[in-house]
Amino acid sequence: MLYAGLLTAVFCLIFDSSRGDEINQLNDTITSKVSSDTRIFCNYSLSNSADNAYLFWYKQTPGSSPRYLLHRMNVSTDELRSDETEARFSSQLDTSQKMTSLSIVNTQLGDSAVYLCALSTTVLSLHYCLLQ
């Protein structure tokens, strides 16, 4: 149930470990207060440490397809984003910890959604979660 002033988001992941590459969410659900900052985490592993990993973030609202927000590459500090992605959204990448995160500054009720992290070195398959 979503209460006024609170944001509830359920997080899913996209992965296929057929190559041994994986990406996993660290939390199933995060609740944030409106106007607060929110950070969502996923960790990843690569079967071949020489592989370049593209780590993507998507947002899916009820009744719609996932919408690309932004991504980073594990060998670059550049963040690439959709023209439609607000500046309040940014990603971080810690290659030593093999972790990526999505930050939402000044969280709004409209940010309530399923957020998906994806790793491009895998064959993508989607695992659905329900928004509470």
Side-chain angles (χ1 to χ4, degrees):
M1 177 180 268
L2 187 64
Y3 298 99
L6 291 180
L7 166 75
T8 302
V10 178
F11 306 99
C12 297
L13 61 141
I14 300 175
F15 76 97
D16 178 2
S17 58
S18 60
R19 274 188 29 152
D21 300 331
E22 271 186 41
I23 189 161
N24 297 292
Q25 69 209 33
L26 298 183
N27 301 93
D28 291 334
T29 305
I30 295 176
T31 302
S32 296
K33 292 183 180 181
V34 170
S35 300
S36 68
D37 295 346
T38 303
R39 197 159 177 202
I40 306 160
F41 295 91
C42 286
N43 57 18
Y44 67 94
S45 64
L46 302 173
S47 59
N48 181 351
S49 61
D51 282 347
N52 292 332
Y54 293 86
L55 297 142
F56 293 83
W57 285 98
Y58 294 85
K59 176 182 179 181
Q60 185 174 19
T61 55
S64 66
S65 300
R67 184 175 60 87
Y68 165 74
L69 293 173
L70 46 83
H71 75 277
R72 286 186 177 273
M73 189 173 161
N74 67 337
V75 294
S76 172
T77 58
D78 295 336
E79 175 183 85
L80 303 171
R81 60 182 46 238
S82 163
D83 291 339
E84 298 173 5
T85 301
E86 297 177 52
R88 298 183 305 111
F89 291 82
S90 64
S91 67
Q92 297 74 39
L93 179 60
D94 182 337
T95 56
S96 65
Q97 296 292 317
K98 301 260 194 260
M99 185 175 298
T100 183
S101 61
L102 177 70
S103 294
I104 307 170
V105 176
N106 190 24
T107 304
Q108 303 299 308
L109 281 174
D111 296 331
S112 183
V114 173
Y115 288 87
L116 307 148
C117 51
L119 175 63
S120 72
T121 60
T122 63
V123 176
L124 301 179
S125 62
L126 182 59
H127 298 264
Y128 293 92
C129 292
L130 298 174
L131 182 65
Q132 296 179 341

